Amino acid sequence: MGEPTVTTLEGRAEAAAPPVADETTGRRFLRRRTPGRPRLWFEILLIAVSYWTYSLIRNAVPEQRAEALRNADGIWGLEQRLGLAFEESVNHAVNSVTWLVVGMNYYYATLHFVVTLGVLVWLYRSHPGRYAATRLVLFTTTGFALVGYYLYPLAPPRLMNGQDFIDTVLVHQTWGSMASGDLKNMSNQYAAMPSMHIGWSVWAGVTIFALATVPWARVLGLLYPAATLVVIVATANHFWLDAVGGVICLGVGYGIALLWYGRQPYALPRQVPEREKRKRKRERERIPVPKQG
């Protein structure tokens, strides 16, 4: 077959380019979307509704006690085969120092929320151009965690049968966990894998390290998830493999953000481009159409 032709305004015939697949089709999810300016009222509402939904779904997951305990035995056995079953030793060592274990109980109960919300507020105020993408990472990570809670119920070490783990909240009578003491009926006790204490703390730590300009703040960003790992193990609320699960969920979150925005959140502009600037850019990129006549 002959090549199709088009006629220019000058009346000359020339071969048209053979039809090819649109190159942008394969990159549709990799195009660089421009984040919009976050609205305070919308963000407050979104965070409140999202956390309420997260808590509702997490606690609605059937508490499959027998399966959760079997899975805990499996995790503990795997760690023993790896030679990395150190949680019980850490739990007993920290429990022997009252002021330290009480502090860790309160750390576990509060910083999980306080630091995460604090980083979101800091992003909103100081890095609005990166806020939406970084928030997407956090929300996606949490969404995948809910899937894990449903598919793999897991008892925390302190609830295992035949082991000598200490529930530090019960022993020291401190308010340290929604899954211990008087608050245990308000939370699903068998939603330990993955650990969102780790998922959220690594998210916060990486964000601070990547965007903070003050050296001591960047150091704190690195120390925060490390300290959180010690706390979740010392209080017998998680195995260290739960932390691995949290990091995997976080990796998925960063992958989704990369697909959506075409860049990692921290590579986006700090400020949201003004609407007029975006409009002028679109006008410059528009292909001019020659006038006929």
Side-chain angles (χ1 to χ4, degrees), residues 197-219:
H197 273 76
I198 290 299
W200 289 11
S201 67
V202 174
W203 170 86
V206 169
T207 300
I208 294 170
F209 180 79
L211 300 180
T213 57
V214 181
W216 63 262
R218 302 186 73 199
V219 172

Short mmCIF file of all heavy atoms in Angstrom, two decimals, residues 197-219:
data_model
loop_
_atom_site.label_atom_id
_atom_site.label_comp_id
_atom_site.label_asym_id
_atom_site.label_seq_id
_atom_site.Cartn_x
_atom_site.Cartn_y
_atom_site.Cartn_z
N HIS A 197 3.61 1.46 63.32
CA HIS A 197 4.53 2.28 64.11
C HIS A 197 5.84 2.45 63.34
O HIS A 197 6.43 3.55 63.32
CB HIS A 197 4.80 1.65 65.47
CG HIS A 197 3.80 2.02 66.52
ND1 HIS A 197 2.55 1.48 66.57
CD2 HIS A 197 3.87 2.89 67.56
CE1 HIS A 197 1.88 1.99 67.59
NE2 HIS A 197 2.66 2.85 68.22
N ILE A 198 6.27 1.39 62.67
CA ILE A 198 7.49 1.48 61.87
C ILE A 198 7.21 2.15 60.54
O ILE A 198 7.97 3.02 60.09
CB ILE A 198 8.09 0.08 61.66
CG1 ILE A 198 8.66 -0.43 62.98
CG2 ILE A 198 9.18 0.12 60.59
CD1 ILE A 198 9.78 0.41 63.57
N GLY A 199 6.12 1.77 59.88
CA GLY A 199 5.80 2.39 58.59
C GLY A 199 5.71 3.89 58.69
O GLY A 199 6.32 4.63 57.89
N TRP A 200 4.99 4.38 59.69
CA TRP A 200 4.82 5.83 59.84
C TRP A 200 6.11 6.50 60.32
O TRP A 200 6.42 7.62 59.90
CB TRP A 200 3.68 6.12 60.82
CG TRP A 200 2.32 5.80 60.27
CD1 TRP A 200 2.03 5.11 59.13
CD2 TRP A 200 1.07 6.15 60.87
NE1 TRP A 200 0.67 5.01 58.98
CE2 TRP A 200 0.05 5.63 60.02
CE3 TRP A 200 0.72 6.83 62.02
CZ2 TRP A 200 -1.31 5.80 60.31
CZ3 TRP A 200 -0.63 6.99 62.31
CH2 TRP A 200 -1.64 6.48 61.46
N SER A 201 6.85 5.85 61.21
CA SER A 201 8.06 6.48 61.73
C SER A 201 9.15 6.57 60.67
O SER A 201 9.88 7.56 60.60
CB SER A 201 8.58 5.73 62.96
OG SER A 201 9.04 4.44 62.62
N VAL A 202 9.28 5.54 59.83
CA VAL A 202 10.26 5.62 58.74
C VAL A 202 9.84 6.68 57.74
O VAL A 202 10.68 7.44 57.23
CB VAL A 202 10.43 4.24 58.06
CG1 VAL A 202 11.34 4.36 56.84
CG2 VAL A 202 11.00 3.23 59.04
N TRP A 203 8.55 6.77 57.45
CA TRP A 203 8.04 7.84 56.57
C TRP A 203 8.42 9.20 57.13
O TRP A 203 8.93 10.06 56.40
CB TRP A 203 6.52 7.72 56.43
CG TRP A 203 5.87 8.88 55.75
CD1 TRP A 203 5.70 9.06 54.40
CD2 TRP A 203 5.30 10.05 56.38
NE1 TRP A 203 5.07 10.26 54.15
CE2 TRP A 203 4.81 10.88 55.35
CE3 TRP A 203 5.17 10.46 57.70
CZ2 TRP A 203 4.20 12.11 55.62
CZ3 TRP A 203 4.56 11.68 57.96
CH2 TRP A 203 4.08 12.49 56.93
N ALA A 204 8.16 9.42 58.42
CA ALA A 204 8.48 10.70 59.04
C ALA A 204 9.98 10.94 59.05
O ALA A 204 10.45 12.05 58.73
CB ALA A 204 7.92 10.75 60.47
N GLY A 205 10.76 9.92 59.40
CA GLY A 205 12.21 10.08 59.47
C GLY A 205 12.83 10.39 58.13
O GLY A 205 13.69 11.27 58.01
N VAL A 206 12.41 9.67 57.09
CA VAL A 206 12.94 9.91 55.75
C VAL A 206 12.56 11.31 55.27
O VAL A 206 13.37 12.03 54.66
CB VAL A 206 12.43 8.84 54.77
CG1 VAL A 206 12.75 9.22 53.32
CG2 VAL A 206 13.05 7.50 55.10
N THR A 207 11.33 11.72 55.54
CA THR A 207 10.88 13.05 55.12
C THR A 207 11.70 14.14 55.80
O THR A 207 12.13 15.11 55.15
CB THR A 207 9.39 13.22 55.45
OG1 THR A 207 8.63 12.23 54.75
CG2 THR A 207 8.89 14.60 55.04
N ILE A 208 11.91 14.00 57.10
CA ILE A 208 12.70 15.00 57.81
C ILE A 208 14.14 15.02 57.30
O ILE A 208 14.71 16.09 57.05
CB ILE A 208 12.67 14.72 59.33
CG1 ILE A 208 11.25 14.92 59.87
CG2 ILE A 208 13.66 15.61 60.08
CD1 ILE A 208 11.07 14.45 61.30
N PHE A 209 14.72 13.85 57.13
CA PHE A 209 16.10 13.78 56.66
C PHE A 209 16.24 14.38 55.26
O PHE A 209 17.24 15.05 54.96
CB PHE A 209 16.58 12.33 56.66
CG PHE A 209 18.00 12.17 56.19
CD1 PHE A 209 19.06 12.45 57.04
CD2 PHE A 209 18.28 11.76 54.90
CE1 PHE A 209 20.37 12.32 56.61
CE2 PHE A 209 19.59 11.63 54.45
CZ PHE A 209 20.63 11.91 55.31
N ALA A 210 15.27 14.13 54.40
CA ALA A 210 15.36 14.59 53.02
C ALA A 210 15.13 16.09 52.88
O ALA A 210 15.74 16.73 52.00
CB ALA A 210 14.35 13.84 52.15
N LEU A 211 14.31 16.68 53.73
CA LEU A 211 13.88 18.06 53.52
C LEU A 211 14.39 19.05 54.55
O LEU A 211 14.43 20.25 54.28
CB LEU A 211 12.35 18.13 53.47
CG LEU A 211 11.67 17.31 52.37
CD1 LEU A 211 10.16 17.47 52.44
CD2 LEU A 211 12.19 17.70 51.00
N ALA A 212 14.76 18.58 55.72
CA ALA A 212 15.25 19.52 56.75
C ALA A 212 16.62 20.07 56.35
O ALA A 212 17.42 19.40 55.71
CB ALA A 212 15.34 18.82 58.11
N THR A 213 16.85 21.31 56.72
CA THR A 213 18.14 21.95 56.42
C THR A 213 19.04 22.06 57.64
O THR A 213 20.24 22.30 57.50
CB THR A 213 17.89 23.36 55.85
OG1 THR A 213 17.11 24.12 56.79
CG2 THR A 213 17.13 23.29 54.52
N VAL A 214 18.47 21.88 58.82
CA VAL A 214 19.25 21.95 60.05
C VAL A 214 19.85 20.58 60.34
O VAL A 214 19.13 19.57 60.38
CB VAL A 214 18.36 22.38 61.23
CG1 VAL A 214 19.18 22.49 62.51
CG2 VAL A 214 17.68 23.71 60.92
N PRO A 215 21.16 20.47 60.52
CA PRO A 215 21.79 19.15 60.71
C PRO A 215 21.21 18.34 61.85
O PRO A 215 21.00 17.13 61.70
CB PRO A 215 23.26 19.51 60.95
CG PRO A 215 23.46 20.82 60.25
CD PRO A 215 22.17 21.55 60.42
N TRP A 216 20.95 18.97 63.01
CA TRP A 216 20.46 18.19 64.13
C TRP A 216 19.07 17.62 63.85
O TRP A 216 18.72 16.52 64.33
CB TRP A 216 20.45 19.00 65.42
CG TRP A 216 19.55 20.21 65.42
CD1 TRP A 216 19.89 21.49 65.18
CD2 TRP A 216 18.13 20.21 65.69
NE1 TRP A 216 18.79 22.32 65.28
CE2 TRP A 216 17.70 21.56 65.58
CE3 TRP A 216 17.19 19.23 66.00
CZ2 TRP A 216 16.37 21.93 65.78
CZ3 TRP A 216 15.87 19.60 66.19
CH2 TRP A 216 15.48 20.94 66.09
N ALA A 217 18.27 18.33 63.07
CA ALA A 217 16.94 17.82 62.71
C ALA A 217 17.06 16.60 61.80
O ALA A 217 16.31 15.62 61.94
CB ALA A 217 16.13 18.91 62.03
N ARG A 218 18.02 16.63 60.90
CA ARG A 218 18.23 15.48 60.02
C ARG A 218 18.70 14.26 60.81
O ARG A 218 18.30 13.13 60.52
CB ARG A 218 19.23 15.84 58.93
CG ARG A 218 18.83 17.03 58.08
CD ARG A 218 19.80 17.23 56.93
NE ARG A 218 19.60 16.20 55.91
CZ ARG A 218 20.51 15.89 54.99
NH1 ARG A 218 21.70 16.49 55.00
NH2 ARG A 218 20.26 14.97 54.09
N VAL A 219 19.54 14.50 61.81
CA VAL A 219 19.98 13.40 62.67
C VAL A 219 18.80 12.81 63.43
O VAL A 219 18.65 11.57 63.53
CB VAL A 219 21.07 13.88 63.64
CG1 VAL A 219 21.39 12.80 64.66
CG2 VAL A 219 22.33 14.29 62.87
#
